[in-house]
Amino acid sequence: MNKSALGAGMVFLVLQVCPIAALEQPVVWRDEDTGCAYLLTPQGGISPRHRRDGTLDCPDVPANTGAVEGMGRDIARGLDALQREMERLRERYNNRP
């Protein structure tokens, strides 16, 4: 194998590994004042951490609450939007010449 092929292979390998190294796992950080957990990325991003049931990972938020109520609210909003759209289409259809 010649040196140029070996060099090209090494460059290819390094370029393949760089994106993998950039995708480091976020670190869990807990706020001392509130006790809520956040995910910190190596790039400087922050987002609230959620439990498996969808609730915020905070000590004052009981587990298994919020997910069902949140889904109920979302479904109600969706049904309201659907009803408004149906009324708009009905008016549009009735006002045709």
Side-chain angles (χ1 to χ4, degrees):
M1 186 178 230
N2 63 24
K3 287 186 179 184
S4 63
L6 184 61
M10 291 297 290
V11 169
F12 179 75
L13 181 63
V14 168
L15 290 176
Q16 293 298 319
V17 173
C18 287
I20 294 170
L23 297 175
E24 295 179 28
Q25 292 293 323
V27 176
V28 177
W29 172 74
R30 199 164 288 276
D31 185 7
E32 293 177 7
D33 296 333
T34 63
C36 294
Y38 297 90
L39 296 173
L40 302 176
T41 64
Q43 295 81 16
I46 184 170
S47 66
R49 183 176 184 211
H50 292 84
R51 297 181 186 132
R52 289 179 187 237
D53 63 358
T55 58
L56 290 175
D57 188 2
C58 294
D60 59 343
V61 177
N64 298 324
T65 61
V68 174
E69 292 85 2
M71 262 193 292
R73 269 193 309 271
D74 292 343
I75 290 172
R77 278 190 227 137
L79 289 174
D80 289 341
L82 181 60
Q83 185 177 10
R84 286 192 301 273
E85 184 65 20
M86 292 296 293
E87 290 171 2
R88 187 185 70 78
L89 290 172
R90 186 179 301 120
E91 289 175 10
R92 184 176 174 190
Y93 180 76
N94 290 335
N95 291 335
R96 289 175 44 191

